[in-house]
Amino acid sequence: MTNNPALQRPQTHKATQRPNSGNAGNSGSGKGGRGNSGGSQKGGNTPPRPSPWLEHPLDPNPNPHRSAGFVEYLRWMRSPASPAKDGTKVELMTMAEQGDYRQRLQVLTERTRQIAGKNNCFEVTCPWRIRVGGHRGPESILLPAFDNLGIPYIPSSTLRGVARAQAIREVMQNEGVPWAEADKLVGQRYFGYLDSRDSSEKAGKIIFLDAYPLPEQKNGGLAVDMANNLWSWNNGNLKYAANPNVFFSLREASFLIGIKPTNHCSPQMLKQVKNWLIRGLTQGIGSQVNAGYGILVESLKQVGRGFFSVDFTVQGQLIHGCQKCTSTSWQWNVRNQAWQMRGQPEAEVRATAFKSLLRYWFRAFARGVLPPAEVQSLEGMIFGAIQPQPKHGYLRVRVINGRVTQPEARPNQQGKNDPCGEEEGTLVLDYSSEVPDAHKETLKELASNLMWLMFHLGGIGQGARRPCYSRKTRNQAPWWRGSNLIPKNNNPFWKLPSSAKEFKEIFQQRLQRFYEALGQLSNHPINPTQPLSIGTVTTNQWAEAIDANCRIVVCSGDSKGEKPYGLALLHDPNLKVNGNYDKNLCGSTGKPSPVWVADLGNYQVITIFGVTKNPRLKFTSEVITIFGVTKNPRLKFTSGRCLQLFPF
C-alpha cells in the first residue's frame, strides 16, 4: 500500500463525530448555544431566546468543530415545530458558513492531482455563485452537492454530462445532424454508447474525477444564499407576496478539475474532451444558469459579453442578498412578547435582481397590450418558468465584475455623514441554449429596448421605486433612501438628452420598438395607442401594468430640500393623510407603492398605476394644477414642464 497520504483512505474525521458540548456563545461567533444576543432581560421575566439546537439533555448546547460539515449541524438542528424557526434556521446556517475545510480540501485536491496527473488537471473559478446537484434538506433548505463528509464538491457525473452536452451541440452545428444522432456519435467516439454492437464503444474513453474547491477559502466557498420570488401568477392575475427562502451555494470558489485517459484514449481525444469541458463550464452548470449562477472559467477574460452589455452604477439603497445573523440580531419585542431575529443585510451585486427587474417591467408593459394567458406564456418562454410547464427560458442574464464600491451608511449616529452606498458591475444579456435561431434577432431587439426602459423608469433593489435622496436632516437612520440605476456607457444608445422634450421622443421610440418585437414573438397584433384596461381600479386596488389606467410622465423643476423635484411632488404635504404618507399612493409594508419615480438629472420620470381613482387621481390632478394645464378626463399632460410619455 502506498504511503502517499493523498491516496490513502481517510481516517475517522472529527467532522463526522457528534459535536462536543461547549459553553454558550454568541449567535454570530460560529459556536452554538443561546447567549444573550439582544433584547431586554428586565425583571428576569423574558424567556431565553430561541435556540437553533435540538437541546438534547445529553448535549443541549453543541459546539461544533470548525471542520464539521453542514450535515452535522442538521443532526442537532431544533425541531421544525420550534418557535421562531426561520430565525434559528438563518442562525444555524450562518454558523455553518464559518466552517474551516482547508485541511481536508488540501488532501482531496492533491489526490486529484495524483490520480489524474498534473498535466491532466486544470483550475476554474466561479466569478459569482454556483449550486450544483444536491437536494432539499430539512424545511426545504436547498443544499449543494456534499460528499460523505459534508464537503461541497462537483460530482464527476456532472462534469461528464457538461462535456457530453457541449460535444453534442457542437457536432449538431458542425455536421448538421439531429440531437439523437450527435449523441450517438460522441458516445461511440468518446463517452461510451451502451447500445453499440462494438464492445470497444460501450465504455467511455475518459475518466472524470470529482472536483473539489481549492483550499483558498477556508470553507470551500460555502455561503448562505437567498431567493425571494415576489410575484406569482394566480388564475391570470399577479399576486405580490414576499417569500424568502434561505439556502446554500458556493461563492467565488475555485475548483481543481481532473480527467484521466483510459488505455483506449489517444492524446488527441483527451484534448478534444478537455476543450469541450472547458467550453461547457464557461456556459454555466448547475441550477439558475440563466440568472448568473454556475459560470466556471479558467480566466475572467473568458466570460463573454453576450449580445448586449452595459456598465452600471447603483447608488443609494443597494442590492442585497441574504441577511446574516450577528451577535445583536435577536431582539425581544415587548409589544408582541416574543423574540425576533433581525439579520444584517449583506450588500451584493446579484444577477438575479436584474433578471427579476427585467421580468417585472416586461410583465408591466406586456399586460397592457396582450391577454393575461399570452403574457404568462411569453414570460415563461423568455425568462423561464416552473408552472405550468418547466422552461429554462431564452434569455440569460449575468453580471461581470459586480462589487460594492462604497458601503451603505452606518445605521447609527456615526454614519449620519457617510456617503450613500454604491455598487458597480457590467450587466450582460445572452442567449440560452433554448432560443431558436429564428428568434434571436427579435429577442435581442426586445431585450435591449426593455433594458433601456428599465434603466430610465426606476432603480433596483429595496429602494427601486424612489430615486436616491439624503435623509441627513432626520434624527435617525436610515440616512439615505431610494435607488439610482445609472448606465455608464458612451454608446449613443445610452446618451441622455438634456431636455425633457428630447427624452420623450427617445422614450417613445424605445417603447415602440419593444412593442414591435413583442408582437413578432407573440404572433399577435399589438396597438399600443389603444392599451387594455386590466382589472377593476379602486382606492386600494390597482394592476401594476402599463395599461389604460397608467400614466408615465416626465417632469422637470427645482429640487425641494433633499428630494429631486418629481419625488417632492409625490411627498407633498397636501397628499398626506393625518400627517402620514397615504399607503395607497406611497405604499406600505407588504403593499408596494403604485408610483415609481426615477431621477435622470435634469428631469424625473414618474410612472403611476391606477390613475383613475384617488389618491392617485388626486396626485395626478395636483401635478396638472402645478403646471397650469386644464384638467380633462383623459388626464393628459400636454404643456408646461411636464410631458406625457404613455399612453402615446
Side-chain angles (χ1 to χ4, degrees):
M1 177 179 289
T2 178
N3 291 323
N4 190 325
L7 300 179
Q8 294 177 4
R9 177 175 296 181
Q11 303 299 315
T12 301
H13 195 258
K14 290 182 180 179
T16 64
Q17 299 174 357
R18 185 168 72 91
N20 297 321
S21 298
N23 296 326
N26 291 333
S27 61
S29 66
K31 297 184 181 297
R34 298 181 182 221
N36 180 13
S37 301
S40 172
Q41 302 291 332
K42 293 181 180 179
N45 295 323
T46 304
R49 71 167 177 82
S51 172
W53 301 115
L54 185 61
E55 297 189 291
H56 191 280
L58 296 178
D59 198 354
N61 294 306
N63 184 14
H65 192 275
R66 303 285 280 186
S67 63
F70 185 58
V71 66
E72 298 305 318
Y73 288 77
L74 294 180
R75 293 183 198 277
W76 299 90
M77 185 178 180
R78 76 321 176 247
S79 166
S82 298
K85 68 175 187 177
D86 290 336
T88 52
K89 179 166 64 175
V90 172
E91 180 180 3
L92 194 80
M93 296 179 71
T94 302
M95 288 191 288
E97 184 186 55
Q98 300 172 26
D100 189 344
Y101 310 142
R102 284 175 294 188
Q103 184 176 357
R104 182 65 185 157
L105 290 174
Q106 183 68 45
V107 172
L108 292 168
T109 52
E110 180 60 27
R111 178 177 296 173
T112 298
R113 292 188 180 92
Q114 294 289 339
I115 294 175
K118 280 190 176 182
N119 294 332
N120 296 330
C121 294
F122 61 97
E123 297 177 7
V124 291
T125 298
C126 179
W128 184 43
R129 288 181 180 266
I130 181 172
R131 192 180 76 84
V132 173
H135 59 278
R136 288 186 180 273
E139 302 175 27
S140 298
I141 301 174
L142 294 175
L143 303 175
F146 289 121
D147 69 7
N148 292 336
L149 295 181
I151 306 298
Y153 77 119
I154 302 175
S156 59
S157 57
T158 298
L159 298 173
R160 182 177 181 274
V162 169
R164 185 166 188 151
Q166 183 66 27
I168 292 171
R169 286 192 291 266
E170 293 188 17
V171 169
M172 288 174 63
Q173 183 176 5
N174 297 334
E175 301 188 19
V177 296
W179 180 279
E181 182 64 23
D183 183 33
K184 179 179 178 180
L185 289 174
V186 300
Q188 290 173 328
R189 298 173 187 173
Y190 302 95
F191 300 98
Y193 189 70
L194 293 177
D195 294 333
S196 177
R197 295 181 179 180
D198 187 341
S199 60
S200 65
E201 295 177 346
K202 291 181 178 291
K205 310 298 189 297
I206 294 92
I207 298 171
F208 293 81
L209 304 178
D210 292 336
Y212 283 90
L214 290 164
E216 299 171 348
Q217 297 170 287
K218 66 179 183 179
N219 63 355
L222 189 69
V224 181
D225 205 343
M226 190 272 291
N228 191 5
N229 184 23
L230 295 174
W231 296 94
S232 60
W233 286 97
N234 183 17
N235 295 324
N237 297 312
L238 280 171
K239 179 182 178 182
Y240 178 89
N243 184 32
N245 291 297
V246 183
F247 63 98
F248 271 126
S249 62
L250 304 184
R251 184 173 180 179
E252 298 177 357
S254 296
F255 295 86
L256 182 69
I257 309 291
I259 56 177
K260 180 178 176 64
T262 66
N263 294 332
H264 303 287
C265 178
S266 67
Q268 293 76 18
M269 295 170 67
L270 183 67
K271 182 179 179 180
Q272 176 65 81
V273 171
K274 178 181 178 180
N275 289 336
W276 279 330
L277 178 57
I278 291 173
R279 288 195 287 270
L281 294 174
T282 303
Q283 294 300 310
I285 65 172
S287 63
Q288 301 190 70
V289 169
N290 283 1
Y293 283 71
I295 301 171
L296 290 169
V297 293
E298 290 185 287
S299 166
L300 291 179
K301 295 180 180 179
Q302 292 177 297
V303 181
R305 291 298 180 113
F307 64 77
F308 196 82
S309 65
V310 61
D311 297 337
F312 65 84
T313 294
V314 178
Q315 295 176 339
Q317 291 177 270
L318 303 181
I319 305 168
H320 295 104
C322 61
Q323 293 191 352
K324 297 293 183 68
C325 184
T326 68
S327 59
T328 59
S329 290
W330 284 105
Q331 299 289 336
W332 176 252
N333 188 307
V334 177
R335 177 181 299 176
N336 297 328
Q337 288 293 292
W339 284 97
Q340 290 185 339
M341 202 282 284
R342 298 187 180 277
Q344 178 65 41
E346 185 176 64
E348 179 184 6
V349 182
R350 297 176 63 83
T352 48
F354 286 94
K355 184 179 179 182
S356 295
L357 191 59
L358 279 168
R359 190 170 193 144
Y360 171 87
W361 286 114
F362 172 84
R363 276 194 308 261
F365 284 111
R367 291 178 76 199
V369 293
L370 291 173
E374 185 72 15
V375 176
Q376 185 177 1
S377 176
L378 282 170
E379 180 190 348
M381 182 181 76
I382 297 171
F383 295 97
I386 298 176
Q387 298 292 339
Q389 292 89 27
K391 297 177 182 178
H392 289 293
Y394 288 176
L395 189 64
R396 182 169 290 178
V397 181
R398 296 174 175 172
V399 171
I400 302 173
N401 298 325
R403 59 199 180 278
V404 178
T405 55
Q406 173 62 51
E408 291 175 295
R410 292 164 292 175
N412 51 35
Q413 289 299 317
Q414 288 72 29
K416 190 169 186 176
N417 293 317
D418 289 350
C420 67
E422 287 197 6
E423 293 172 325
E424 291 183 354
T426 302
L427 179 59
V428 177
L429 302 184
D430 204 352
Y431 303 116
S432 79
S433 58
E434 286 196 357
V435 58
D437 290 339
H439 287 171
K440 285 186 175 180
E441 282 303 313
T442 305
L443 179 66
K444 178 180 179 180
E445 182 74 3
L446 180 142
S448 57
N449 285 289
L450 179 62
M451 194 197 295
W452 188 95
L453 293 167
M454 177 187 77
F455 269 85
H456 296 90
L457 286 170
I460 189 170
Q462 186 178 3
R465 299 186 185 222
R466 301 290 180 264
C468 176
Y469 67 98
S470 170
R471 290 167 44 91
K472 292 182 180 180
T473 59
R474 272 63 164 188
N475 294 323
Q476 60 184 16
W479 308 118
W480 297 90
R481 287 275 196 186
S483 166
N484 291 338
L485 179 57
I486 306 168
K488 297 171 58 180
N489 196 298
N490 295 324
N491 190 303
F493 182 88
W494 292 104
K495 186 177 180 180
L496 201 63
S498 58
S499 72
K501 183 178 179 181
E502 292 175 295
F503 177 81
K504 174 183 176 179
E505 295 177 4
I506 296 175
F507 183 95
Q508 292 184 335
Q509 288 174 5
R510 299 289 181 220
L511 184 53
Q512 182 64 44
R513 290 175 183 174
F514 168 82
Y515 282 133
E516 290 172 357
L518 181 65
Q520 294 177 33
L521 278 179
S522 64
N523 292 318
H524 194 289
I526 290 176
N527 183 3
T529 62
Q530 295 181 343
L532 304 174
S533 180
I534 306 300
T536 301
V537 178
T538 66
T539 295
N540 59 4
Q541 179 179 308
W542 58 86
E544 301 220 359
I546 315 296
D547 65 349
N549 304 310
C550 172
R551 297 293 181 270
I552 304 177
V553 301
V554 57
C555 62
S556 60
D558 297 331
S559 60
K560 294 188 177 182
E562 307 146 334
K563 300 175 182 178
Y565 185 71
L567 182 60
L569 293 178
L570 179 63
H571 287 176
D572 190 284
N574 293 327
L575 297 173
K576 291 185 176 181
V577 177
N578 297 324
N580 298 315
Y581 293 126
D582 192 328
K583 66 180 181 180
N584 293 310
L585 184 65
C586 296
S588 61
T589 303
K591 191 166 188 176
S593 169
V595 180
W596 287 71
V597 181
D599 183 15
L600 304 184
N602 292 338
Y603 38 84
Q604 289 79 47
V605 178
I606 306 176
T607 304
I608 315 162
F609 300 122
V611 298
T612 55
K613 295 292 182 179
N614 284 328
R616 282 90 57 201
L617 176 60
K618 181 180 178 181
F619 169 57
T620 310
S621 299
E622 288 285 340
V623 174
I624 293 174
T625 302
I626 289 170
F627 290 106
V629 182
T630 303
K631 299 180 183 179
N632 64 70
R634 298 192 65 187
L635 301 174
K636 286 270 189 175
F637 298 84
T638 57
S639 65
R641 292 179 294 171
C642 192
L643 301 173
Q644 180 163 300
L645 305 177
F646 179 91
F648 292 154

